[in-house]
Amino acid sequence: MSNKEQTIHDFDIALICEYFSSMERQGPGSTEATLKALSFIDNITEESKIVDLGCGTGAQTIVLAQNTVAGSITAIDLFPPFIDKLNNNIKKLSLQDRVKGVVGSMDNLDYKENEIDIIWSEGAIYNIGFEKGLNYWKKFLKKGGYVAVTEASWFTEERPKEIFDFWNNAYPEIDTIPNKIAQMQKAGYVVVASFILPEICWTDNFFTPAISAQKIFLEKYKGNKSVEEFINYEKLHASLYDKYKDYYGYVFYIGKKI
Ligand code: SAH
């Protein structure tokens, strides 16, 4: 949900959920990027346990389910409306035997040590922080298990002040790709792959669908200052991306627990 928590902390969370529930994705991403990340992961079997943390309404959960032949997938998100929507889609697609959505928090996992084969998390680890998330999740992964996450990253060593200030306020843990890779290694993973998500993950798949969602939302909550402020923030996010996309983006990092 684009790292907005700190800036609109007083905004009604139920309204944010309503807005994002109306969208297919709650963050930048694509089917192709999910599949590319999945291609670096081997040995998925009947017994494999895959956990998708901060799944939102589950765009990537469904891609994972439809492109793995075996294993169970548990998708976890803090917000019940997202999980309800995902579970409806799972049922519609007859995937309920292998896939389920569950309400829960990524920093309070109900798993045993060395139990999970793959932890997936697209556009969500920032909620607890990249380093904290990687360190905390590692104990639940089996040795040789994988973590696959997308994380906001700088593409260059230097950047204009306007975009630095925006991100420093939204998510100060944003860092360069070599630094993120070093953090993943330090947390006890071999970095199997990293790749930058293509621009369409942000534009066609996130900011463009947001335009009509914002219009509907503004009409419904006409005169509500918090809603206007929230939408203005989302618009700023989109315009800054357009202006500074050479300097930052989402990077997929795939690590294997040592
Ligand atoms: N993976 C989805 C959603 C990304 S948005 C996608 O790429 O479309 C980030 C998600 O993290 C939101 O759905 C938000 O509800 C969820 N989230 C925030 N804090 C969380 C926490 N502590 N535990 C689990 N999910 C959380």
Side-chain angles (χ1 to χ4, degrees), residues 168-180:
N168 202 32
N169 180 45
Y171 183 53
E173 231 191 279
I174 184 173
D175 210 331
T176 59
I177 298 172
N179 286 345
K180 289 284 171 194

Side-chain angles (χ1 to χ4, degrees), residues 82-125:
F82 294 167
I83 293 298
D84 290 345
K85 189 171 171 187
L86 171 59
N87 279 330
N88 280 335
N89 287 337
I90 288 170
K91 233 176 164 179
K92 269 191 225 153
L93 296 165
S94 301
L95 291 165
Q96 66 273 18
D97 292 346
R98 298 178 47 215
V99 190
K100 65 169 189 276
V102 175
V103 175
S105 185
M106 61 175 81
D107 59 1
N108 186 21
L109 295 180
D110 191 15
Y111 287 94
K112 294 195 271 297
E113 287 189 16
N114 309 311
E115 187 181 353
I116 304 173
D117 294 271
I118 302 170
I119 292 183
W120 207 269
S121 186
E122 292 195 30
I125 195 171

Side-chain angles (χ1 to χ4, degrees), residues 47-197:
E47 282 76 45
S48 295
K49 277 191 187 166
I50 304 169
V51 179
D52 181 5
L53 297 176
C55 61
T57 59
Q60 73 291 316
T61 317
I62 301 290
V63 174
L64 289 174
Q66 292 178 325
N67 292 278
T68 46
V69 288
S72 68
I73 304 179
T74 305
I76 298 175
D77 200 281
L78 206 48
F79 294 117
F82 294 167
I83 293 298
D84 290 345
K85 189 171 171 187
L86 171 59
N87 279 330
N88 280 335
N89 287 337
I90 288 170
K91 233 176 164 179
K92 269 191 225 153
L93 296 165
S94 301
L95 291 165
Q96 66 273 18
D97 292 346
R98 298 178 47 215
V99 190
K100 65 169 189 276
V102 175
V103 175
S105 185
M106 61 175 81
D107 59 1
N108 186 21
L109 295 180
D110 191 15
Y111 287 94
K112 294 195 271 297
E113 287 189 16
N114 309 311
E115 187 181 353
I116 304 173
D117 294 271
I118 302 170
I119 292 183
W120 207 269
S121 186
E122 292 195 30
I125 195 171
Y126 74 85
N127 285 295
I128 57 169
F130 187 75
E131 282 197 281
K132 183 181 166 194
L134 290 178
N135 280 297
Y136 173 62
W137 297 347
K138 200 185 92 174
K139 68 168 177 259
F140 299 103
L141 276 178
K142 288 178 189 160
K143 188 169 182 246
Y146 290 91
V147 67
V149 299
T150 59
E151 167 78 343
S153 308
W154 296 122
F155 298 160
T156 56
E157 289 298 324
E158 308 268 323
R159 65 226 39 121
K161 186 176 181 311
E162 186 182 23
I163 195 61
F164 174 79
D165 288 347
F166 174 81
W167 274 100
N168 202 32
N169 180 45
Y171 183 53
E173 231 191 279
I174 184 173
D175 210 331
T176 59
I177 298 172
N179 286 345
K180 289 284 171 194
I181 287 177
Q183 287 164 5
M184 189 175 243
Q185 286 168 335
K186 201 169 154 222
Y189 303 87
V190 171
V191 180
V192 174
S194 63
F195 63 90
I196 293 172
L197 268 65

